[in-house]
Amino acid sequence: MYWGGNLAEQIEFLAKGVADVVLSKENVMQALMAESTHNYRPIIGYQNYTAFFISNKEKPKLDKAYFLDKRIGLLDYPTSRSGHILPKQVFKTLDIDLDALDIVYASTHKALRDKLARGEIDLISSYWRKDDQKRFSNNYITPISGEIIGSRWFLKMNDENTDLACELQSVISLIAKSQSSSYFESLQNYWQCVSLPYYFVEEGL
């Protein structure tokens, strides 16, 4: 098992076909031709989502002056689109020097929300969850981009090992649905796995 937050490392793993199972984006797989070269097949995928700037006291504005005096919470994970990549793209589009911003990094989306709820920061960049409205107002969110394609789990299938694909799909689904985040409630299965009923017969029949 290998855990890495670096896209370059992920690309090396996929390009060489090192990983047997990998969590990645469809566009990365297509760019590396990993599906045709190493027979990676999607097993299960997470739902699409939208990135937002979220505040606890006002609706964020997408203009330069608004961000300059704000404490902004981002995810300390360079490959996160909603928590890192897209907000920095917004700042670049608005011609804002990152050094001029008061950016506070957190290790998880939950940590960002906790800091926002405690008033340690003025706004965060993340996705909107169903249970967010318990602590924040959906009137105080501003979309950063359109719909983002969710990540998918891919299995390298050198053989048509359908049983393995179905079992992996089942295990990932159980783990995902055990998480507290509502983001994991909707999953897309890419294998139609059918469980056949068991029939008990008397010996000799």
Side-chain angles (χ1 to χ4, degrees), residues 7-204:
L7 181 58
E9 294 172 344
Q10 183 183 142
I11 289 174
E12 182 178 1
F13 263 56
L14 291 174
K16 296 180 179 178
V18 175
D20 295 307
V21 182
V22 63
L23 178 65
S24 186
K25 300 283 189 180
E26 178 65 29
N27 62 331
V28 174
M29 301 297 287
Q30 291 177 351
L32 296 173
M33 299 179 66
E35 291 171 278
S36 59
T37 303
H38 299 295
N39 294 313
Y40 282 106
R41 297 290 181 266
I43 301 299
I44 193 168
Y46 300 119
Q47 63 182 310
N48 298 346
Y49 59 97
T50 302
F52 295 92
F53 282 120
I54 304 172
S55 174
N56 62 356
K57 58 182 180 181
E58 62 184 356
K59 187 175 181 64
K61 301 176 183 177
L62 298 180
D63 63 62
K64 185 174 183 177
Y66 176 81
F67 292 108
L68 291 178
D69 64 346
K70 296 293 187 298
R71 294 166 297 171
I72 305 167
L74 299 183
L75 202 61
D76 189 17
Y77 194 74
T79 59
S80 170
R81 293 186 62 80
S82 63
H84 193 104
I85 296 173
L86 291 175
K88 287 193 172 182
Q89 286 181 354
V90 170
F91 302 146
K92 183 177 181 180
T93 300
L94 295 174
D95 194 28
I96 302 176
D97 186 350
L98 291 180
D99 293 334
L101 294 174
D102 184 3
I103 298 178
V104 177
Y105 290 99
S107 58
T108 66
H109 287 281
K110 180 181 183 302
L112 283 177
R113 284 165 169 76
D114 290 342
K115 287 180 179 293
L116 182 63
R118 292 193 298 263
E120 296 176 10
I121 48 182
D122 298 309
L123 70 155
I124 63 172
S125 179
S126 185
Y127 54 90
W128 182 255
R129 309 186 318 192
K130 291 180 181 178
D131 56 352
D132 279 335
Q133 55 191 346
K134 296 177 181 178
R135 293 199 289 178
F136 312 113
S137 170
N138 57 10
N139 291 318
Y140 293 163
I141 63 176
T142 299
I144 299 176
S145 68
E147 196 171 60
I148 301 170
I149 303 299
S151 296
R152 300 175 184 176
W153 286 96
F154 292 85
L155 171 65
K156 186 167 68 171
M157 294 190 68
N158 294 325
D159 302 310
E160 290 298 318
N161 195 340
T162 303
D163 284 348
L164 177 59
C166 288
E167 186 65 23
L168 184 62
Q169 180 175 270
S170 176
V171 169
I172 293 175
S173 179
L174 287 173
I175 294 173
K177 291 180 178 179
S178 69
Q179 305 302 306
S180 58
S181 172
S182 59
Y183 172 70
F184 297 104
E185 290 179 359
S186 299
L187 295 169
Q188 182 175 358
N189 293 328
Y190 294 98
W191 287 82
Q192 299 303 314
C193 302
V194 179
S195 297
L196 296 177
Y198 289 97
Y199 294 97
F200 296 92
V201 297
E202 294 183 12
E203 187 177 354

